[in-house]
Amino acid sequence: MKIQKVTVLGSGTMGHGIAQVSAMKGFNVTLYDIDDGMLKKAMAIIEKNIEKHFVAKEKITREEGDAIIKRLNTSTDLKEAVKDTDLVIEAIPENMELKKKVFAEMDSYCPEKTIFASNTSVLPVTAIAGATNRKDKCVGLHFFNPAVVMKLVEVVKPIGISEETLNIVVDFCKQLGKVPVKVKDVPGFIVNRLLGLLYHEAAQIVLEGTATAEEVDTAMKLGAGHPMGPCELADFGGFDIIVNAGDAVYQYTHAEKDAVNILYRKMVEAGRLGRKNGKGFYDYNEDGTKSQAKLFD
Ligand code: 3HC
């Protein structure tokens, strides 16, 4: 089977990014969410993104931009959104019970051919697939933020996946212009398993006063070639996400190395979530500037 129609579940940052990149590569996409307001917001972000990063930079024409938008539909009706689709990419909140419920429901709506992918960044895909009667057609497709830009997709192989499904989704990732890397279904896969350690140590360095967030970021950008320093990246991803993801990994490994740094918990308790609310390792100003925040002193 060749993927032609894609349904993305969840219109948050990852969902609308995946929907945009799929439409940009010629797929017909339905973006589903339970909240119509979220869908409207997501479409406005996609339109702005296409204008700012592609049309204004003359990477595509305005007509091409309009055609991309036309390939995107939205829906708040799950049955309608998935009923004749080839591939569902789920990007709803990282809650195992919720994901299982949605996968089980879709299983009854979708034709036999439909492949179910989860964009989960930490939860076991084998357990999500267990809610369906199509375990051979379930996979993890883990995209990175911003999904339109980042080249990697981790292709997570749950127990029971067929070779055929794997080949189809690898081919799909390549059609998106991404580089698929296959990985077994272990907590954190490759990237988040490593990033979790980086976030932890960065916070520890700041907490113990070895260096400031700005110094940590400068060191890692100039000394290790990272595009963003670990504190900037933690702000970019969101402290609430870091805590949830870290806890999900720890739940499986029970390894001390995977325990979430207390600084992130305290910041979430204090309402500092990172860039999304302008308060992280840095304070973000409306004019686009940022300054180091006072944390946990
Ligand atoms: N959509 C489309 N294009 C975008 C974009 C977006 N959202 N953001 C930036 N771009 C494009 C710009 O148009 C520009 O294109 P050009 O070079 O052709 O003009 C190019 O990307 C560079 O953009 P900027 O100059 O504005 O900014 P930067 O050079 O700082 O790049 C960045 C921004 C791509 C976000 C870069 O800082 C970066 O790669 N950061 C690291 C991101 C990262 O590590 N992500 C993974 C996080 S972990 C994760 O996602 C796990 C998951 O489980 C949550």
Side-chain angles (χ1 to χ4, degrees):
M1 184 188 60
K2 212 165 161 46
I3 306 292
Q4 284 171 324
K5 187 165 185 293
V6 178
T7 301
V8 180
L9 308 184
S11 62
T13 305
M14 295 312 296
H16 69 64
I18 297 166
Q20 181 185 330
V21 70
S22 304
M24 289 183 77
K25 295 297 176 181
F27 294 96
N28 291 316
V29 182
T30 299
L31 182 59
Y32 162 86
D33 202 301
I34 49 171
D35 182 344
D36 193 47
M38 282 284 288
L39 284 172
K40 290 201 169 77
K41 215 168 128 191
M43 285 305 296
I45 293 171
I46 292 174
E47 284 178 35
K48 204 170 141 197
N49 187 291
I50 288 174
E51 179 60 37
K52 177 178 168 190
H53 291 290
F54 296 93
V55 176
K57 291 187 172 180
E58 296 182 354
K59 289 180 181 173
I60 60 172
T61 62
R62 172 139 297 118
E63 290 68 36
E64 284 166 333
D66 292 344
I68 292 165
I69 301 295
K70 278 214 181 88
R71 283 196 286 276
L72 279 155
N73 294 303
T74 59
S75 172
T76 53
D77 181 339
L78 183 63
K79 190 172 184 179
E80 227 9 71
V82 301
K83 70 170 193 227
D84 60 351
T85 199
D86 301 315
L87 172 67
V88 177
I89 306 176
E90 167 274 309
I92 65 174
E94 294 280 44
N95 175 316
M96 176 57 86
E97 288 320 306
L98 182 64
K99 286 187 196 278
K100 278 186 179 171
K101 184 173 166 283
V102 170
F103 268 60
E105 201 178 328
M106 285 193 305
D107 203 23
S108 64
Y109 300 149
C110 288
E112 215 181 305
K113 63 170 183 176
T114 309
I115 292 175
F116 291 179
S118 175
N119 177 57
T120 181
S121 52
V122 280
L123 296 176
V125 182
T126 307
I128 303 170
T132 73
N133 290 314
R134 60 178 83 210
K135 297 174 187 60
D136 59 321
K137 294 198 178 72
C138 291
V139 68
L141 289 182
H142 183 211
F143 290 77
F144 292 82
N145 185 23
V148 180
V149 181
M150 303 306 283
K151 285 278 177 205
L152 177 68
V153 179
E154 286 179 323
V155 177
V156 183
K157 300 180 290 177
I159 293 171
I161 186 174
S162 70
E163 231 12 72
E164 191 191 355
T165 300
L166 203 53
N167 291 337
I168 293 169
V169 296
V170 162
D171 188 48
F172 170 73
C173 292
K174 289 180 183 165
Q175 287 182 63
L176 292 188
K178 304 294 184 195
V179 177
V181 170
K182 292 184 221 164
V183 55
K184 287 183 185 163
D185 186 20
V186 296
F189 318 128
I190 299 170
V191 175
N192 279 345
R193 182 166 164 181
L194 290 168
L195 277 183
L197 305 179
L198 186 67
Y199 292 140
H200 173 83
E201 281 304 320
Q204 200 54 31
I205 289 169
V206 173
L207 261 184
E208 69 198 20
T210 298
T212 63
E214 202 165 25
E215 286 163 342
V216 170
D217 286 340
T218 302
M220 290 305 284
K221 282 190 283 192
L222 302 185
H226 289 199
M228 279 178 173
C231 301
E232 286 175 312
L233 193 59
D235 279 4
F236 186 59
F239 293 173
D240 50 339
I241 305 285
I242 288 176
V243 171
N244 286 342
D247 283 348
V249 171
Y250 184 80
Q251 192 199 331
Y252 280 88
T253 65
H254 287 288
E256 205 180 316
K257 69 176 173 62
D258 293 323
V260 174
N261 192 288
I262 191 167
L263 181 64
Y264 297 114
R265 283 194 206 284
K266 286 290 142 200
M267 292 305 108
V268 172
E269 285 167 9
R272 300 192 76 89
L273 300 181
R275 250 211 225 173
K276 69 179 89 169
N277 74 348
K279 296 182 178 76
F281 281 103
Y282 299 89
D283 286 320
Y284 296 84
N285 308 314
E286 283 193 357
D287 61 4
T289 58
K290 67 181 199 286
S291 53
Q292 271 193 112
K294 269 197 165 302
L295 300 171
F296 214 31
D297 276 346

